Amino acid sequence: MKVHSIHVCRECGTTSPRWVGRCPGCAAWNSLDEEKSLARPTVSGPATTVALHTVDTDHDQRFSTGVGELDRVLGGGLLAGSTTLLFGEPGVGKSTLALMSLRALARCATPVVLIGAEESAVQVAQRARRLGPIPEGLEVATTTSVATALALIEQRRPAVCVIDSISAMSDDGLSGVAGSVAQVRNAAERLCALAKSTSTALLLVGHVTKDGELAGPRTLEHLVDTVVRIEGDRYGTLRVVRAIKHRFGPTGEVGLLEMVNDGLRDVPETAMTRGQSAPDVSGVVFTVTNDGSRSFLVEVQALVASSSGSPRRVAHQVSSQRLSLMLAVLEARCDIDVSDADVFAATAGGLAATEPGVDLALALAVASAVQGFALSRALVAVGEVGLAGELRAVSGLTRRVREAQRLGATRALVPLAGDLDEVEGISVVRCATLAAAIAASRGT
Ligand code: TYD
Ligand code: MG
């Protein structure tokens, strides 16, 4: 095979035949690495067409993963012949989720194969036993070689195959270490193509680090059919899975899982996102955040403490940018000044709440912490706060208020603007400004 060299962007995977200082794809500077690449044979099929209406679509097989919340995100399960990328930070639970799926799948479609590139068969078996008895149809192989993996799929013809992880696979014919953009992309490309021709449902596991560095998801996004991200605080137990690309199903669908001793458990109800703080504590405000087609009740907490030295702002699971904005608006529009205090803001329960609809709860939590008044736990606050201190309409307000009512809230502070259907069992207070909302919240 002919060897030529290409330049690949570390950030977005764009390739260029020659080196350029600025990536033509994502405009990052100095992000191109030279990679020697083997010319890939092009795929050429017969030059014929078929009438579209005669193409059979009923026999597309979906394999349920046995994990309800993952199935929900996948639109029913893994599709035969398609490739799904499951990615997330180390320790978040990718291998566990992949193995749980294989265990369930082995009961209805055999064989299913796990190609482990990071752990030995013994380690995989240990983990699998932790999840329960190991079904017979589940086979494992350990290799980091793409060629071996391809041969294995060719031979065993598994209904479902997991590669854990694609970041550790490499091809001897290519320069670059395992995990480099060229290696990861080459491995994924060849495995995807084979999965398609053997009708194998392929699941690739990929890593990212905190800052999204490392060849991976972004370079693979356009290659694979489905991209599922698993996120969560690795020291907490809550995990969120979401499809960020889905060729054959819905995107934006969110699944909620909890890491327990024997694997990941579905969390279909959102009641657990209510934290355990004692009643009558200042700085605690409930809100409802919308994510995909779901609404989650979230407890937002703030703490304001006298600062020794330069004031600190610490945001955990809430947006630090929005926190800064809220502090500025509180100072300029509501006369609540925290410029020389330390401010900490977080959500309780482990679920992130970063969308603008959380603004009001965040600002109220700070106001409540500063002024030392506690808000009723039966109150929820929803709304985006503008720079003029006005409350702006948020998307899906009715859905949020309904969810709040379902989980026991009896009063909701919401923006004056925005459509809201009548929801029984909860009294809605429309507020034009943040200052008005603070006044209304004190009255509860
Ligand atoms: P893992 O699936 O290895 O993460 P990844 O493949 O994304 O790096 O999971 C890592 C963590 O999950 C590890 O700290 C142990 C924990 N864990 C449980 O809490 N319960 C379990 O049943 C298993 C298998 C793991
Ligand atoms: Mg792993």
Side-chain angles (χ1 to χ4, degrees), residues 91 94-96 118-119 127 164 205 207:
K94 301 179 295 293
S95 301
T96 306
E118 295 181 352
E119 289 168 306
R127 187 201 298 271
D164 188 1
V205 173
H207 302 297

Side-chain angles (χ1 to χ4, degrees), residues 61-384:
Q61 212 180 345
R62 269 192 201 276
F63 302 108
S64 162
T65 65
V67 183
E69 294 288 289
L70 180 60
D71 277 353
R72 161 196 196 111
V73 167
L74 291 172
L78 297 168
L79 194 63
S82 84
T83 301
T84 304
L85 172 69
L86 173 68
F87 81 98
E89 287 170 23
V92 74
K94 301 179 295 293
S95 301
T96 306
L97 191 55
L99 197 53
M100 285 178 69
S101 307
L102 282 181
R103 282 168 41 87
L105 290 159
R107 291 195 200 99
C108 51
T110 50
V112 297
V113 170
L114 171 67
I115 299 181
E118 295 181 352
E119 289 168 306
S120 68
V122 175
Q123 286 169 318
V124 174
Q126 276 169 348
R127 187 201 298 271
R129 290 224 165 81
R130 202 173 157 181
L131 305 172
I134 305 176
E136 268 175 32
L138 171 49
E139 300 173 8
V140 62
T142 42
T143 182
T144 55
S145 153
V146 179
T148 309
L150 291 168
L152 278 168
I153 296 173
E154 199 66 91
Q155 260 172 36
R156 294 299 296 139
R157 293 289 169 129
V160 183
C161 178
V162 169
I163 311 278
D164 188 1
S165 72
I166 191 70
S167 321
M169 300 298 287
S170 65
D171 184 333
D172 295 340
L174 269 184
S175 72
V177 292
S180 67
V181 174
Q183 284 287 8
V184 168
R185 210 186 26 209
N186 168 68
E189 226 162 48
R190 296 175 64 185
L191 287 161
C192 275
L194 184 61
K196 211 156 276 163
S197 69
T198 56
S199 282
T200 301
L202 183 66
L203 181 71
L204 306 176
V205 173
H207 302 297
V208 278
T209 54
K210 262 256 178 300
D211 43 4
E213 189 59 44
L214 196 84
R218 282 157 93 199
T219 44
L220 297 185
E221 225 162 90
H222 51 277
L223 270 179
V224 301
D225 301 302
T226 306
V227 180
V228 174
R229 182 164 67 202
I230 169 166
E231 51 198 62
D233 184 353
R234 65 183 289 193
Y235 301 108
T237 57
L238 212 56
R239 301 287 184 270
V240 176
V241 282
R242 80 178 76 234
I244 54 176
K245 168 187 175 173
H246 208 346
R247 211 168 261 165
F248 307 112
T251 49
E253 204 43 84
V254 182
L256 208 54
L257 295 161
E258 188 186 9
M259 181 68 94
V260 289
N261 250 333
D262 54 355
L264 287 152
R265 195 173 61 189
D266 288 342
V267 187
E269 288 296 311
T270 61
M272 66 156 301
T273 55
R274 204 181 257 276
Q276 271 99 46
S277 65
D280 301 328
V281 176
S282 62
V284 175
V285 180
F286 288 94
T287 188
V288 181
T289 174
N290 275 358
D291 195 342
S293 61
R294 299 178 86 175
S295 302
F296 299 108
L297 184 77
V298 176
E299 176 178 335
V300 178
Q301 302 184 336
L303 181 67
V304 177
S306 58
S307 171
S308 52
S310 57
R312 295 199 295 154
R313 273 89 187 83
V314 182
H316 181 62
Q317 307 276 51
V318 294
S319 153
S320 57
Q321 233 172 352
R322 302 213 77 86
L323 175 63
S324 303
L325 203 81
M326 289 311 107
L327 299 184
V329 174
L330 280 169
E331 185 184 336
R333 312 287 176 194
C334 307
D335 245 343
I336 296 175
D337 184 6
V338 290
S339 54
D340 49 11
D342 288 341
V343 180
F344 305 87
T347 63
L351 209 61
T354 51
E355 48 111 14
V358 175
D359 282 359
L360 179 58
L362 196 56
L364 278 179
V366 174
S368 148
V370 172
Q371 302 186 336
F373 66 93
L375 273 70
S376 161
R377 304 178 74 78
L379 175 91
V380 295
V382 173
E384 179 178 351

